[in-house]
Amino acid sequence: MPNSLFSRLRFVLVETSHPGNIGAAARAMKTMGFSELVLVRPRFADALRQDDAIAFASGALDVLENAKVVETLAQALDGVQYAAALSSRLREYSPPVVSPREFAAVVAPRADLQAALVFGSERYGLSNDSVMQCQALVNIPANPAYSSLNLAQAVQLLAYECRVASDSGPADQSASRIGFQGELASAEQVEGMYVHLEHALVELGFLDAANPKKLMPRLRRLFSRTGLETEEVNILRGIAGHVIAACKK
């Protein structure tokens, strides 16, 4: 099915250290029916061809062979409208926190939604900047005294929840309660809006570029709770444009 979640969900691994973990993640994905894998700056440039990656993939070589390697998370999220960062560590200014099951319930029913799951490195996880490029933060419920999962285990768990949500069919969609729903804005469109809005706030004198404090992270958190649509992003950018023009007069 061209619009099934299996063709709409991308798995992104950021700065992965061990090629074996990449291969194991590919195997976990294929076991649950997913195939789109993107690596952001893996430790080894030839990580996809490393012996450990091939060995741990164990039958999922097609996932490795079709995987992409990019330099930035923004490139990895190209075309994505709803990205979720995986982290066991909660952040003060993170986007909304959801469970794996809640994430799956959001992305499975929306046939028009391009989604991504973003996993950090084995040693450091994800940076705050990477988390803020996402619209949600997935926190896996685990033993609070030892909440560390292996990368491939985390991939397997999320892939499983997404498969179950896809197989169970559309659930109660809260979006249907708000009437017409437009196309969700892509990650690139939302990032462009933040840049434009920040420029407008600086021109207005509301934001001190030399001492920005936490204003933009707070605004990011606010907007990440809304699920911005393309038209809404365009409206906000239009407002920002008029503010900039008015300040220059």
Side-chain angles (χ1 to χ4, degrees):
M1 296 176 61
N3 291 326
S4 74
L5 185 57
F6 302 105
S7 62
R8 295 186 286 106
L9 181 59
R10 183 179 307 172
F11 287 75
V12 179
L13 309 184
V14 179
E15 298 181 352
T16 311
S17 298
H18 303 292
N21 285 334
I22 296 172
R27 180 179 181 179
M29 290 169 54
K30 186 169 183 179
T31 300
M32 292 297 135
F34 298 96
S35 60
E36 189 172 357
L37 175 63
V38 180
L39 308 183
V40 179
R41 296 187 306 278
R43 180 181 179 187
F44 299 101
D46 61 346
L48 295 170
R49 298 187 296 276
Q50 291 267 331
D51 290 342
D52 280 352
I54 294 170
F56 279 82
S58 184
L61 290 180
D62 54 329
V63 177
L64 288 184
E65 290 169 354
N66 292 310
K68 297 178 181 178
V69 180
V70 297
E71 279 297 311
T72 68
L73 180 56
Q75 291 173 320
L77 297 180
D78 182 38
V80 168
Q81 299 154 313
Y82 186 72
L86 270 289
S87 178
S88 61
R89 179 166 58 91
L90 300 180
R91 323 294 175 98
E92 183 181 4
Y93 296 104
S94 79
V97 178
V98 298
S99 70
R101 194 158 298 172
E102 288 169 333
F103 170 82
V106 169
V107 299
R110 290 288 305 270
D112 61 335
L113 184 66
Q114 298 296 320
L117 286 162
V118 182
F119 301 80
S121 72
E122 302 91 330
R123 293 183 291 177
Y124 308 116
L126 288 168
S127 68
N128 288 335
D129 180 66
S130 293
V131 171
M132 292 306 296
Q133 290 184 57
C134 298
Q135 288 71 51
L137 187 148
V138 174
N139 185 256
I140 298 173
N143 177 4
Y146 187 68
S147 60
S148 177
L149 273 74
N150 173 272
L151 174 60
Q153 291 174 332
V155 170
Q156 185 78 79
L157 193 154
L158 266 296
Y160 168 78
E161 289 289 354
C162 289
R163 181 176 186 88
V164 170
S166 296
D167 288 347
S168 63
D172 174 27
Q173 299 182 43
S174 60
S176 64
R177 304 193 199 110
I178 62 172
F180 173 76
Q181 188 169 28
E183 177 183 320
L184 284 179
S186 68
E188 182 179 11
Q189 289 171 324
V190 174
E191 280 300 313
M193 181 205 74
Y194 286 134
V195 172
H196 205 169
L197 182 59
E198 184 174 5
H199 184 190
L201 294 174
V202 170
E203 289 288 336
L204 192 61
F206 188 81
L207 173 63
D208 182 356
N211 187 28
K213 297 184 179 179
K214 299 294 184 180
L215 177 61
M216 290 311 298
R218 286 184 182 277
L219 287 176
R220 282 175 174 268
R221 184 171 63 174
L222 184 157
F223 284 119
S224 66
R225 295 197 295 266
T226 66
L228 286 166
E229 298 172 5
T230 299
E231 185 61 28
E232 293 166 342
V233 166
N234 291 339
I235 290 171
L236 289 168
R237 294 198 67 165
I239 294 171
H242 276 71
V243 167
I244 292 170
C247 290
K248 291 183 180 296
K249 288 182 179 179

mmCIF file of all heavy atoms in Angstrom, residues 5 8-9 82 102-111 113 115-116 162:
data_model
loop_
_atom_site.group_PDB
_atom_site.id
_atom_site.type_symbol
_atom_site.label_atom_id
_atom_site.label_comp_id
_atom_site.label_asym_id
_atom_site.label_seq_id
_atom_site.Cartn_x
_atom_site.Cartn_y
_atom_site.Cartn_z
ATOM 1 N N LEU A 5 1.881 3.218 6.579
ATOM 2 C CA LEU A 5 2.951 3.740 7.421
ATOM 3 C C LEU A 5 4.294 3.115 7.062
ATOM 4 O O LEU A 5 5.346 3.734 7.245
ATOM 5 C CB LEU A 5 2.629 3.483 8.900
ATOM 6 C CG LEU A 5 3.587 4.078 9.928
ATOM 7 C CD1 LEU A 5 3.708 5.592 9.755
ATOM 8 C CD2 LEU A 5 3.149 3.743 11.340
ATOM 9 N N ARG A 8 5.850 5.405 4.811
ATOM 10 C CA ARG A 8 5.873 6.816 5.215
ATOM 11 C C ARG A 8 6.768 7.091 6.411
ATOM 12 O O ARG A 8 7.001 8.244 6.747
ATOM 13 C CB ARG A 8 4.451 7.277 5.569
ATOM 14 C CG ARG A 8 3.473 7.281 4.429
ATOM 15 C CD ARG A 8 2.131 7.888 4.838
ATOM 16 N NE ARG A 8 1.328 7.002 5.690
ATOM 17 C CZ ARG A 8 1.142 7.160 6.975
ATOM 18 N NH1 ARG A 8 1.715 8.184 7.607
ATOM 19 N NH2 ARG A 8 0.390 6.324 7.668
ATOM 20 N N LEU A 9 7.261 6.049 7.066
ATOM 21 C CA LEU A 9 8.043 6.249 8.285
ATOM 22 C C LEU A 9 9.525 6.022 8.018
ATOM 23 O O LEU A 9 9.928 4.965 7.532
ATOM 24 C CB LEU A 9 7.573 5.298 9.385
ATOM 25 C CG LEU A 9 8.300 5.407 10.730
ATOM 26 C CD1 LEU A 9 8.181 6.810 11.311
ATOM 27 C CD2 LEU A 9 7.771 4.369 11.710
ATOM 28 N N TYR A 82 6.466 15.274 10.453
ATOM 29 C CA TYR A 82 6.341 14.989 11.888
ATOM 30 C C TYR A 82 7.498 14.091 12.303
ATOM 31 O O TYR A 82 7.542 12.911 11.950
ATOM 32 C CB TYR A 82 5.007 14.307 12.181
ATOM 33 C CG TYR A 82 4.730 14.091 13.658
ATOM 34 C CD1 TYR A 82 4.406 15.157 14.492
ATOM 35 C CD2 TYR A 82 4.780 12.812 14.219
ATOM 36 C CE1 TYR A 82 4.134 14.963 15.843
ATOM 37 C CE2 TYR A 82 4.502 12.608 15.562
ATOM 38 C CZ TYR A 82 4.179 13.684 16.367
ATOM 39 O OH TYR A 82 3.914 13.493 17.711
ATOM 40 N N GLU A 102 1.837 6.273 21.848
ATOM 41 C CA GLU A 102 1.181 7.524 21.464
ATOM 42 C C GLU A 102 1.716 8.029 20.131
ATOM 43 O O GLU A 102 0.959 8.537 19.303
ATOM 44 C CB GLU A 102 1.381 8.576 22.559
ATOM 45 C CG GLU A 102 0.573 8.299 23.821
ATOM 46 C CD GLU A 102 0.984 9.183 24.983
ATOM 47 O OE1 GLU A 102 2.154 9.623 25.021
ATOM 48 O OE2 GLU A 102 0.137 9.424 25.856
ATOM 49 N N PHE A 103 3.040 7.904 19.933
ATOM 50 C CA PHE A 103 3.605 8.299 18.635
ATOM 51 C C PHE A 103 2.976 7.485 17.512
ATOM 52 O O PHE A 103 2.554 8.031 16.493
ATOM 53 C CB PHE A 103 5.124 8.090 18.631
ATOM 54 C CG PHE A 103 5.745 8.238 17.265
ATOM 55 C CD1 PHE A 103 6.047 9.490 16.750
ATOM 56 C CD2 PHE A 103 6.010 7.126 16.476
ATOM 57 C CE1 PHE A 103 6.591 9.634 15.475
ATOM 58 C CE2 PHE A 103 6.556 7.261 15.201
ATOM 59 C CZ PHE A 103 6.849 8.524 14.706
ATOM 60 N N ALA A 104 2.903 6.172 17.702
ATOM 61 C CA ALA A 104 2.340 5.303 16.675
ATOM 62 C C ALA A 104 0.885 5.656 16.388
ATOM 63 O O ALA A 104 0.443 5.639 15.228
ATOM 64 C CB ALA A 104 2.458 3.844 17.114
ATOM 65 N N ALA A 105 0.140 6.007 17.434
ATOM 66 C CA ALA A 105 -1.268 6.352 17.256
ATOM 67 C C ALA A 105 -1.445 7.646 16.466
ATOM 68 O O ALA A 105 -2.452 7.834 15.785
ATOM 69 C CB ALA A 105 -1.952 6.480 18.616
ATOM 70 N N VAL A 106 -0.461 8.535 16.551
ATOM 71 C CA VAL A 106 -0.521 9.787 15.788
ATOM 72 C C VAL A 106 -0.224 9.545 14.314
ATOM 73 O O VAL A 106 -0.929 10.042 13.426
ATOM 74 C CB VAL A 106 0.471 10.830 16.358
ATOM 75 C CG1 VAL A 106 0.592 12.016 15.410
ATOM 76 C CG2 VAL A 106 0.023 11.296 17.729
ATOM 77 N N VAL A 107 0.835 8.785 14.014
ATOM 78 C CA VAL A 107 1.307 8.681 12.634
ATOM 79 C C VAL A 107 0.605 7.607 11.816
ATOM 80 O O VAL A 107 0.517 7.720 10.589
ATOM 81 C CB VAL A 107 2.832 8.442 12.595
ATOM 82 C CG1 VAL A 107 3.565 9.596 13.249
ATOM 83 C CG2 VAL A 107 3.212 7.121 13.263
ATOM 84 N N ALA A 108 0.084 6.557 12.440
ATOM 85 C CA ALA A 108 -0.506 5.453 11.672
ATOM 86 C C ALA A 108 -1.755 5.853 10.888
ATOM 87 O O ALA A 108 -1.888 5.473 9.720
ATOM 88 C CB ALA A 108 -0.796 4.278 12.602
ATOM 89 N N PRO A 109 -2.692 6.617 11.472
ATOM 90 C CA PRO A 109 -3.940 6.898 10.737
ATOM 91 C C PRO A 109 -3.815 7.933 9.625
ATOM 92 O O PRO A 109 -4.664 7.978 8.742
ATOM 93 C CB PRO A 109 -4.883 7.422 11.841
ATOM 94 C CG PRO A 109 -4.213 7.131 13.140
ATOM 95 C CD PRO A 109 -2.762 7.135 12.845
ATOM 96 N N ARG A 110 -2.781 8.751 9.659
ATOM 97 C CA ARG A 110 -2.665 9.860 8.707
ATOM 98 C C ARG A 110 -1.946 9.417 7.439
ATOM 99 O O ARG A 110 -0.719 9.389 7.366
ATOM 100 C CB ARG A 110 -1.913 11.029 9.337
ATOM 101 C CG ARG A 110 -2.662 11.760 10.442
ATOM 102 C CD ARG A 110 -3.816 12.601 9.895
ATOM 103 N NE ARG A 110 -3.381 13.544 8.883
ATOM 104 C CZ ARG A 110 -2.974 14.782 9.131
ATOM 105 N NH1 ARG A 110 -2.952 15.223 10.368
ATOM 106 N NH2 ARG A 110 -2.616 15.575 8.145
ATOM 107 N N ALA A 111 -2.701 9.064 6.412
ATOM 108 C CA ALA A 111 -2.108 8.552 5.177
ATOM 109 C C ALA A 111 -1.275 9.592 4.445
ATOM 110 O O ALA A 111 -0.469 9.247 3.577
ATOM 111 C CB ALA A 111 -3.217 8.036 4.254
ATOM 112 N N LEU A 113 0.777 11.746 6.026
ATOM 113 C CA LEU A 113 1.809 12.224 6.945
ATOM 114 C C LEU A 113 3.141 11.507 6.732
ATOM 115 O O LEU A 113 3.242 10.290 6.886
ATOM 116 C CB LEU A 113 1.348 12.012 8.389
ATOM 117 C CG LEU A 113 2.273 12.537 9.491
ATOM 118 C CD1 LEU A 113 2.348 14.056 9.427
ATOM 119 C CD2 LEU A 113 1.777 12.086 10.852
ATOM 120 N N ALA A 115 6.624 10.809 8.239
ATOM 121 C CA ALA A 115 7.106 10.847 9.610
ATOM 122 C C ALA A 115 8.518 10.288 9.734
ATOM 123 O O ALA A 115 9.008 9.594 8.835
ATOM 124 C CB ALA A 115 6.154 10.065 10.517
ATOM 125 N N ALA A 116 9.160 10.598 10.849
ATOM 126 C CA ALA A 116 10.514 10.098 11.093
ATOM 127 C C ALA A 116 10.735 9.881 12.575
ATOM 128 O O ALA A 116 10.184 10.608 13.408
ATOM 129 C CB ALA A 116 11.568 11.067 10.543
ATOM 130 N N CYS A 162 4.641 0.778 15.957
ATOM 131 C CA CYS A 162 4.100 1.356 14.722
ATOM 132 C C CYS A 162 3.423 0.286 13.868
ATOM 133 O O CYS A 162 2.399 0.545 13.225
ATOM 134 C CB CYS A 162 5.207 2.059 13.945
ATOM 135 S SG CYS A 162 5.774 3.589 14.735
#
